[in-house]
Amino acid sequence: MSEAVIGLTRDEMAMRAALDIPDGAYVNLGIGIPEMVAAHVPAGREVIYHTENGLLGMGPSPTDDGDPELINAGKRRVTAIEGASYFHHADSFVMIRGGHIDLCVLGALQVASNGDLANWSTGGPDAIPAVGGAMDLVAGVPTIYVITQQTTRDGKPKLVEQCTYPLTGRGVVDRIYTELAVIDLSDAGFQLVELTDGIDFGYVQSRMDASLAPIAERQEDSVHAT
Amino acid sequence: MSEAVIGLTRDEMAMRAALDIPDGAYVNLGIGIPEMVAAHVPAGREVIYHTENGLLGMGPSPTDDGDPELINAGKRRVTAIEGASYFHHADSFVMIRGGHIDLCVLGALQVASNGDLANWSTGGPDAIPAVGGAMDLVAGVPTIYVITQQTTRDGKPKLVEQCTYPLTGRGVVDRIYTELAVIDLSDAGFQLVELTDGIDFGYVQSRMDASLAPIAERQEDSVHAT
Amino acid sequence: MIDKRVPTAQEAVADIFDGATVMVGGFGEAGSPIELIHALIDQGASDLTVVNNNAGSGEVGLAALIKAGRVSKMICSYPRTANSTVFPEMYRAGRIALELVPQGTLAERIRAGGAGIPAFFTATSVGTPLAEGKEHRTFGETEYVLEHGLTADFSLIKCRRADHLGNLVYNKTARNFNPIMATASRTTIVQTDEIVRLGAIDSEAVVTQGIFVDRIVTVENPALESDLVHKGMSYP
Amino acid sequence: MIDKRVPTAQEAVADIFDGATVMVGGFGEAGSPIELIHALIDQGASDLTVVNNNAGSGEVGLAALIKAGRVSKMICSYPRTANSTVFPEMYRAGRIALELVPQGTLAERIRAGGAGIPAFFTATSVGTPLAEGKEHRTFGETEYVLEHGLTADFSLIKCRRADHLGNLVYNKTARNFNPIMATASRTTIVQTDEIVRLGAIDSEAVVTQGIFVDRIVTVENPALESDLVHKGMSYP
């Protein structure tokens, strides 16, 4: 390790995001850290998970071998809760495109200060382009949370003035959870909501390529509502 | 009765049309005489009936009271065959609009020599307009048969040069079964295929407001195929 | 925790507001949520736009809602049925508006509304009066018209069986418009013959997924429109 | 009489022609009709356009068809999966074309193709490179792009259970693209784990109605792609 770990672990980031998932929400979780959110929803809240390959009521990973035909969007084996339902792909995207899923948690390559998200391609000439359901999710789901490290492994900020990678969607991100902070997207751009214990404003700002507004006097909670 | 019955009865017209329903066809039957076609499909042929209110595999009327929630498009109680399936209205019209139903038999107010069909409204100022699934059927089903009397009750021809009633669809009719004849729609207009026993060409022509071409030397059978 | 059951039809329809668009499931009497409609009559909301394949029969259910003067506009494919006298009278008297839509286009517009599709092309109605004034376009060799997705503030749905998460199954051809209307309305209100325990509805056979449902009322022995009409009943 | 069963996969795919568009069901290995794909490899048709969510993995199933040089173009949403090496190599070498479509738009284009809808508007992909060159239009305050229905000459479908009329049910998330592809192809070819007697599939729970199905082959113990890949197998 060339650098000491500063701020939250991946699991702690998922845990922080989970605090904001409301009781009764229908939620789609992206691949990677977002998947870990499911394990951390606070006790007493019932959340129903949708996976775009045709399952509402996705449960945790199987404790046995599972069923190779019961998988999630990341093609990993999962289980189904009591009261789950299966449906075909067009019906699954009725739920997404039609605005029926309340909230989606995704990873990111870049988020811009206007809420633009890039998370499907680095646009490299040799890259195999692959988009999956990401563009449908950001276009259809009313509330989009992003969980991401503040920078890439080689230190390049992921929260930027303008995305340089191909977009997944325009102005779609509502809130970002990083190892250092919780940051909202407001009309004025990146808006600090909460600092991780032991992290100061200046450090977060230094790990971004865009201006960060300090915590507002009176916290706007509008992005919580779905 | 002011006029003797000439030509086929309603039931005989349905019987004649049934001869042209191919084995294995998926068929939608309109309300009225078309409904009677089902009872006359020749032995050895298996035909599957679709009703647009969400049933594939419609059987005959129930011999008991039936189920008030098992009805056909005319809202009459029906039965379902073994191997029937139920589905919602959007899926039902996937079958119709998507061209999956092979053949539809409808009634008519007017058929024009270019295949235009009018069968939903007389366009009267006091008429309550009601269209149901007729426009979807003629737009989506590749082969459209019409069963109709040659004239209205007061003797006005229903086979005409041009429809005066509002259209159901343009150029959609393939074949017409009347009490006097079987008539195809060809590029040249009405084309006689077959005369009812005892009826002559001149009589059929006299009961139309458009030109009828005599039986062709070598019969084209193209409208039979689906 | 999620539990979409509400005790009475009265509570289920309480917030339907004047001027709302309400989709009402059913094809004729099959799948028609009569008890919910009657609760809506009691509730009093007016100036409603109602979407249904028909326009009711006799003087019960949807016909009674129309007769009570609560419906300013019907969107339907076939407002002319056996025993349908209320709508024709109101229509001829100029007291109710009608948007006539071919049945398949009506179904697809509702499905599109629920699916986030604002508009689509269809060949249905091309060359007829119902295509007049609509955008036409040719794809391949066929001409199509542009039709728009349809959404509603509320839908009133009837099903055979539900669980408390809102998963629904229907009875035979009573399915008809109910599942697509459930997807296309902001608030979906369901009457069910019975509520069953979670897991009692086969996950492979759920027709309407709970995500589309907001409120569920049990109506154990729902009335049949044809029975009520036959008995000459009128509501209220 | 109607009986859609055919004895072998070989016979079922015999008429797939060079240059055909073939929809292949499945999402990863779930619902992937491997035995039908292998029969298609044996059959020899080439210059195929294949529609599938992915582009195969290992050197079996769809990946094997691509490796054999039979696919000139893939239409898919995610041609990059664990153990997916064949497509990337062919793509980088310029030996296969790619039409990349967002997953929901791919599903809706297939559904539209089956439903006789030539084109529809969707908000998905607006503002991204995948919307470039497409017609844009604003409805309300949102911008949408026009997408076109997708149809195929053939589809290869995997299901859990079928009857001889072609009614199908699936297993869990193996349902995925299979039902919509069955509606969107001129000839639908199905492999099923088992054929059951007519009436054994609940009429309320049929997922694909027989009207969409042309040929059914029983493959009693279908191979699992992950098993074959794990064993390092390649086909043929």
Side-chain angles (χ1 to χ4, degrees):
Chain A
M1 298 269 179
S2 61
E3 195 176 4
V5 174
I6 297 173
L8 303 181
T9 63
R10 289 158 53 95
D11 201 51
E12 288 165 343
M13 289 161 67
M15 194 181 301
R16 175 59 192 86
L19 290 179
D20 292 343
I21 311 275
D23 186 31
Y26 291 90
V27 174
N28 184 298
L29 299 176
I31 298 170
I33 309 182
E35 284 181 87
M36 301 159 73
V37 170
H40 295 296
V41 172
R45 293 189 204 169
E46 186 175 5
V47 173
I48 295 191
Y49 296 102
H50 171 265
T51 180
E52 54 263 44
N53 55 314
L55 168 59
L56 186 69
M58 181 174 61
S61 301
T63 51
D64 56 9
D65 281 352
D67 183 333
E69 296 198 320
L70 175 47
I71 60 176
N72 67 10
K75 304 193 177 69
R76 268 196 286 278
R77 296 183 191 182
V78 295
T79 54
I81 65 169
E82 263 198 342
S85 52
Y86 300 103
F87 34 83
H88 62 55
H89 250 84
D91 281 349
S92 185
F93 283 83
V94 167
M95 298 181 190
I96 293 173
R97 198 188 312 97
H100 306 284
I101 307 287
D102 297 310
L103 193 153
C104 181
V105 186
L106 291 171
L109 294 168
Q110 293 178 323
V111 181
S113 57
N114 60 358
D116 287 359
L117 173 67
N119 79 345
W120 68 284
S121 170
T122 55
D126 214 37
I128 305 296
V131 65
M135 288 184 183
D136 306 283
L137 285 162
V138 301
V141 179
T143 299
I144 302 290
Y145 289 168
V146 161
I147 301 184
T148 181
Q149 305 288 341
Q150 201 84 33
T151 61
T152 62
R153 276 178 210 171
D154 52 356
K156 281 181 69 176
K158 297 173 104 180
L159 279 51
V160 295
E161 198 48 49
Q162 206 163 5
C163 292
T164 55
Y165 295 146
L167 293 190
T168 308
R170 276 194 318 217
V172 295
V173 177
D174 294 292
R175 175 166 279 199
I176 306 164
Y177 302 89
T178 79
E179 76 280 19
L180 305 180
V182 178
I183 298 170
D184 274 357
L185 273 298
S186 73
D187 289 346
F190 293 110
Q191 163 79 56
L192 184 62
V193 173
E194 183 182 303
L195 288 167
T196 298
D197 280 350
I199 304 294
D200 65 27
F201 178 86
Y203 186 67
V204 181
Q205 177 65 84
S206 75
R207 310 282 281 179
M208 295 171 60
D209 253 0
S211 169
L212 177 66
I215 295 176
E217 283 298 297
R218 196 162 146 280
Q219 182 67 38
E220 291 258 356
D221 255 358
S222 62
V223 299
H224 287 260
T226 61
Chain B
M1 298 267 178
S2 61
E3 194 176 7
V5 174
I6 296 173
L8 303 182
T9 64
R10 287 157 55 94
D11 201 51
E12 287 166 341
M13 289 160 69
M15 194 181 303
R16 175 59 192 88
L19 290 179
D20 292 342
I21 310 275
D23 187 30
Y26 291 90
V27 174
N28 184 297
L29 298 176
I31 298 170
I33 309 181
E35 284 181 86
M36 301 159 74
V37 169
H40 294 296
V41 171
R45 292 189 204 169
E46 185 175 4
V47 173
I48 295 190
Y49 295 102
H50 171 266
T51 178
E52 53 263 44
N53 56 315
L55 168 59
L56 186 69
M58 182 173 60
S61 301
T63 50
D64 56 11
D65 281 352
D67 183 332
E69 296 198 320
L70 176 46
I71 59 176
N72 67 9
K75 304 193 176 69
R76 267 197 287 278
R77 295 184 192 182
V78 295
T79 54
I81 65 167
E82 262 198 341
S85 52
Y86 300 103
F87 34 83
H88 63 57
H89 250 84
D91 281 349
S92 185
F93 283 82
V94 166
M95 296 179 190
I96 292 173
R97 198 188 312 97
H100 306 283
I101 308 286
D102 297 309
L103 192 153
C104 181
V105 187
L106 292 170
L109 293 168
Q110 292 178 323
V111 181
S113 57
N114 61 358
D116 287 359
L117 173 68
N119 77 345
W120 68 285
S121 170
T122 55
D126 214 38
I128 305 296
V131 64
M135 287 184 184
D136 305 284
L137 285 162
V138 301
V141 178
T143 299
I144 302 289
Y145 290 168
V146 161
I147 302 185
T148 181
Q149 306 287 342
Q150 200 86 32
T151 60
T152 63
R153 275 178 210 171
D154 52 356
K156 280 181 68 176
K158 297 173 105 181
L159 278 51
V160 295
E161 197 49 47
Q162 203 160 7
C163 293
T164 55
Y165 294 146
L167 292 191
T168 307
R170 278 195 315 219
V172 295
V173 176
D174 295 293
R175 174 167 279 198
I176 307 164
Y177 301 89
T178 79
E179 76 280 20
L180 305 181
V182 178
I183 297 171
D184 274 356
L185 274 298
S186 73
D187 289 345
F190 294 111
Q191 162 79 57
L192 183 63
V193 174
E194 183 181 302
L195 288 167
T196 298
D197 279 351
I199 305 295
D200 64 27
F201 178 86
Y203 186 66
V204 182
Q205 177 66 81
S206 75
R207 310 282 282 178
M208 295 171 58
D209 252 359
S211 168
L212 178 67
I215 295 176
E217 282 299 296
R218 196 163 146 278
Q219 183 67 38
E220 289 259 355
D221 253 358
S222 62
V223 300
H224 288 259
T226 60
Chain C
M1 309 304 287
I2 304 177
D3 187 349
K4 299 181 178 179
R5 290 173 290 186
V6 295
T8 64
Q10 185 188 349
E11 288 160 83
V13 305
D15 60 348
I16 298 183
F17 49 85
D18 291 355
T21 296
V22 183
M23 291 180 174
V24 178
F27 181 89
E29 71 175 333
S32 176
I34 293 189
E35 283 74 11
L36 289 179
I37 300 170
H38 288 174
L40 179 56
I41 292 173
D42 297 344
Q43 188 257 28
S46 64
D47 190 25
L48 302 172
T49 294
V50 170
V51 183
N52 178 269
N53 186 65
N54 305 105
S57 72
E59 298 188 358
V60 295
L62 179 53
L65 185 70
I66 295 170
K67 189 176 166 77
R70 306 292 178 67
V71 182
S72 54
K73 180 179 178 182
M74 281 300 309
I75 301 178
C76 66
S77 90
Y78 207 84
R80 212 169 57 194
T81 322
N83 303 309
S84 178
T85 54
V86 169
F87 177 85
E89 279 166 22
M90 301 277 279
Y91 181 74
R92 289 199 182 96
R95 294 177 55 202
I96 190 166
L98 170 65
E99 180 177 343
L100 190 71
V101 184
Q103 196 171 129
T105 297
L106 182 63
E108 190 66 13
R109 288 181 62 193
I110 295 167
R111 193 261 173 199
I117 304 288
F120 60 90
F121 287 95
T122 174
T124 298
S125 90
V126 168
T128 80
L130 298 190
E132 279 168 20
K134 290 179 180 164
E135 178 177 336
H136 285 61
R137 193 183 296 198
T138 298
F139 297 92
E141 293 177 345
T142 308
E143 196 174 8
Y144 297 85
V145 289
L146 187 70
E147 296 281 358
H148 292 81
L150 199 54
T151 58
D153 299 303
F154 299 90
S155 61
L156 305 183
I157 299 301
K158 182 187 182 189
C159 77
R160 170 77 188 83
R161 196 173 286 126
D163 65 30
H164 72 264
L165 290 181
N167 293 305
L168 313 181
V169 291
Y170 302 85
N171 178 42
K172 305 188 179 73
T173 56
R175 188 180 304 196
N176 57 65
F177 283 88
N178 283 293
I180 50 176
M181 287 179 169
T183 72
S185 56
R186 190 180 306 271
T187 301
T188 299
I189 305 167
V190 175
Q191 72 169 66
T192 179
D193 296 5
E194 58 174 337
I195 298 256
V196 295
R197 67 169 176 74
L198 210 60
I201 300 177
D202 180 1
S203 294
E204 300 279 8
V206 170
V207 175
T208 292
Q209 296 83 24
I211 194 170
F212 299 116
V213 170
D214 297 284
R215 300 171 197 158
I216 309 166
V217 186
T218 302
V219 177
E220 271 181 21
N221 292 299
L224 265 179
E225 196 177 84
S226 56
D227 278 355
L228 301 182
V229 172
H230 185 71
K231 289 173 188 156
M233 291 184 64
S234 62
Y235 194 89
Chain D
M1 308 305 287
I2 303 177
D3 186 349
K4 298 181 178 181
R5 289 173 290 187
V6 294
T8 65
Q10 185 188 349
E11 287 161 82
V13 304
D15 60 349
I16 298 183
F17 48 85
D18 291 356
T21 295
V22 183
M23 292 181 174
V24 178
F27 180 89
E29 70 176 335
S32 175
I34 294 189
E35 283 75 10
L36 289 178
I37 301 170
H38 288 174
L40 178 55
I41 293 173
D42 296 346
Q43 188 258 25
S46 64
D47 190 25
L48 302 172
T49 294
V50 171
V51 183
N52 179 268
N53 186 63
N54 306 105
S57 72
E59 298 188 356
V60 295
L62 179 52
L65 185 70
I66 295 170
K67 190 175 165 76
R70 305 291 177 68
V71 183
S72 54
K73 180 180 179 182
M74 280 299 310
I75 301 178
C76 66
S77 91
Y78 207 84
R80 211 169 56 196
T81 323
N83 302 309
S84 176
T85 55
V86 168
F87 177 85
E89 279 166 24
M90 301 277 280
Y91 181 72
R92 289 197 182 97
R95 293 176 55 201
I96 190 166
L98 171 65
E99 180 177 343
L100 190 71
V101 184
Q103 196 171 129
T105 298
L106 182 63
E108 191 66 12
R109 288 182 61 194
I110 295 166
R111 194 260 173 199
I117 304 289
F120 59 91
F121 287 94
T122 174
T124 298
S125 90
V126 168
T128 80
L130 298 190
E132 280 168 19
K134 291 179 179 163
E135 177 177 336
H136 285 61
R137 193 182 296 198
T138 298
F139 297 93
E141 294 178 343
T142 308
E143 195 174 7
Y144 297 85
V145 289
L146 186 70
E147 297 280 359
H148 292 80
L150 199 54
T151 57
D153 300 301
F154 299 90
S155 61
L156 306 182
I157 300 301
K158 184 189 180 188
C159 77
R160 170 77 188 84
R161 198 172 286 124
D163 66 29
H164 73 263
L165 290 182
N167 293 305
L168 314 181
V169 291
Y170 300 86
N171 179 42
K172 304 187 178 72
T173 56
R175 189 181 303 196
N176 57 65
F177 284 88
N178 282 294
I180 49 175
M181 287 178 169
T183 72
S185 55
R186 188 180 308 269
T187 301
T188 298
I189 305 167
V190 176
Q191 72 168 68
T192 180
D193 296 5
E194 58 175 337
I195 298 257
V196 296
R197 67 169 175 76
L198 211 60
I201 300 176
D202 179 2
S203 294
E204 299 278 8
V206 170
V207 176
T208 291
Q209 296 82 23
I211 195 170
F212 299 116
V213 170
D214 297 283
R215 300 171 198 159
I216 310 166
V217 185
T218 303
V219 176
E220 271 181 22
N221 293 297
L224 267 178
E225 195 176 84
S226 56
D227 278 355
L228 301 182
V229 172
H230 185 72
K231 290 174 186 156
M233 289 183 65
S234 62
Y235 194 89

